[in-house]
Amino acid sequence: MRTTLDPADVQALTDRIEAAQKGATAIPKLTEDFPGMTLGDGYAVQLGLLERWLKEGRRQIGWKAGLTSQAKMIQMGVDVPTVGFLLADMARPEGSVIATDDLVHPRVECEVAFVLKSALGGRDCSRADVLAATDFVVPAIEVIDSRFSGFKFDLPSVVADNSSSARYVTGGRALEPEALALDTLGVVLEKNGEPVAMGASAAVMGHPADGVALLVRVLAELGRELPAGSFVMSGGITEAIAVKPGDFVCARFQDLGSVAVRFG
C-alpha cells in the first residue's frame, strides 16, 4: 500500500491515537493535520499501535473486518472495507456489564465470528479457502468506539484508529460452518427489549466468509496472515447502534442462539 508519512509522523500519530483510546478523549480526524494521508498511512499507524501494545505484553487474538455491509458504509460515509486487530483484553464475558466511562462514542453491532483450525494467507484467498480453514463459528456483539470528535470520519483516520475496535462479546452456540446456511442467517438486535436493527448475514459482502477472505487479502498486502487458532470477526450485519449506561443489548441469531450484555 502506498504511504506518504515519514516514520516520525507515523510515531506522532500513533501517540495521538493511543492517547485518545487510553484517555477516552475525542480528537480531530487525523487528515486535518495530514490532508495527504493515504490508506497505507492509516495502516502504518494501526500496525505501529499493535506492535507497541504487543511489546507491553498485551496478546493479540485475531483480526476483524470492518465496514463490510452497505449499511455500515453508508453510516460511516466510506466505500472501502477495513481491517483491525483484536486483543485478548478487549473481550468481555457474555452477560457482563461493560463500562462506558472509558469509551467515547460506544456503539454495538452483531457479527458472525470465525475460529480457524488452520492458517490462512495470500492475495487469492476465497470463500472456499475460509470455510475449509474454519473450525467453528459463533455469534458475537462488537462494541465499536470512534475516538474522533463530531463523529466525523475518513478512511485513513478510521483505519489508524484500529477500525474503531474497542470490545467484543461472544455467546450462543458454536457450530461448524457446514451445519449452517451461513449466507442467510437472520439476526435481530434488541436494545432494552425493543428491536432496533435486523438483517441477514448476506449483508456482509454476500456471505460472512467473503468478509474474512477480504480481510486475509488486505493482510497479505500488509505482509501478514491469519495463524491457526485466530478469532476473526467478519463484519457488522446491520448499522451500528449507539448505547449508553443502563442499556441492555441482546443479539438474536438464527440457529446460533443469542448474545447479551449490559452497559454501565
Side-chain angles (χ1 to χ4, degrees):
M1 292 185 184
R2 185 175 68 90
T3 58
T4 64
L5 299 179
D6 62 38
D9 289 335
V10 171
Q11 181 171 333
L13 291 179
T14 303
D15 292 342
R16 192 180 301 185
I17 290 293
E18 182 177 39
Q21 292 198 20
K22 287 186 173 181
T25 304
I27 58 174
K29 58 185 181 179
L30 305 185
T31 51
E32 290 190 11
D33 289 334
F34 294 88
M37 189 174 174
T38 66
L39 185 60
D41 292 325
Y43 279 115
V45 174
Q46 181 189 128
L47 294 177
L49 185 66
L50 172 60
E51 295 305 320
R52 181 178 297 186
W53 284 351
L54 292 178
K55 287 179 181 177
E56 291 178 2
R58 299 178 72 177
R59 182 170 62 89
Q60 185 178 8
I61 195 171
W63 294 85
K64 68 162 220 180
L67 309 181
T68 50
S69 74
Q70 192 66 28
K72 278 304 299 295
M73 289 183 187
I74 291 171
Q75 183 182 35
M76 299 289 284
V78 301
D79 56 7
V80 180
T82 67
V83 307
F85 61 82
L86 298 173
L87 301 178
D89 58 16
M90 294 177 178
R92 295 294 184 271
E94 200 214 353
S96 64
V97 177
I98 295 179
T100 58
D101 57 359
D102 55 354
L103 301 172
V104 181
H105 300 118
R107 292 173 179 253
V108 296
E109 54 191 40
C110 34
E111 308 195 15
V112 176
F114 291 65
V115 176
L116 302 186
K117 60 186 176 184
S118 55
L120 273 175
R123 301 186 183 213
D124 299 321
C125 184
S126 66
R127 178 191 304 181
D129 295 330
V130 172
L131 294 175
T134 298
D135 191 6
F136 57 87
V137 298
V138 292
I141 290 175
E142 184 182 13
V143 183
I144 59 174
D145 184 31
S146 171
R147 271 63 63 154
F148 296 114
S149 54
F151 216 60
K152 295 179 180 179
F153 317 95
D154 55 63
L155 204 57
S157 297
V158 169
V159 166
D161 191 30
N162 194 24
S163 294
S164 305
S165 305
R167 310 282 183 266
Y168 58 90
V169 183
T170 61
R173 59 181 67 94
L175 293 176
E176 296 178 346
E178 55 267 28
L180 297 162
L182 263 179
D183 58 339
T184 58
L185 292 178
V187 180
V188 177
L189 183 62
E190 299 175 352
K191 184 168 76 170
N192 302 324
E194 298 292 332
V196 290
M198 61 184 65
S201 53
V204 181
M205 302 189 68
H207 193 294
D210 289 341
V212 179
L214 171 72
L215 181 148
V216 172
R217 296 195 295 270
V218 172
L219 289 180
E221 290 190 50
L222 298 171
R224 298 176 180 243
E225 66 173 24
L226 291 175
S230 291
F231 173 80
V232 186
M233 300 187 76
S234 58
I237 294 171
T238 67
E239 71 273 22
I241 302 298
V243 291
K244 62 183 186 304
D247 285 341
F248 176 78
V249 172
C250 181
R252 302 187 186 278
F253 290 73
Q254 179 184 352
D255 298 330
L256 284 172
S258 61
V259 187
V261 70
R262 189 178 297 278
F263 291 84

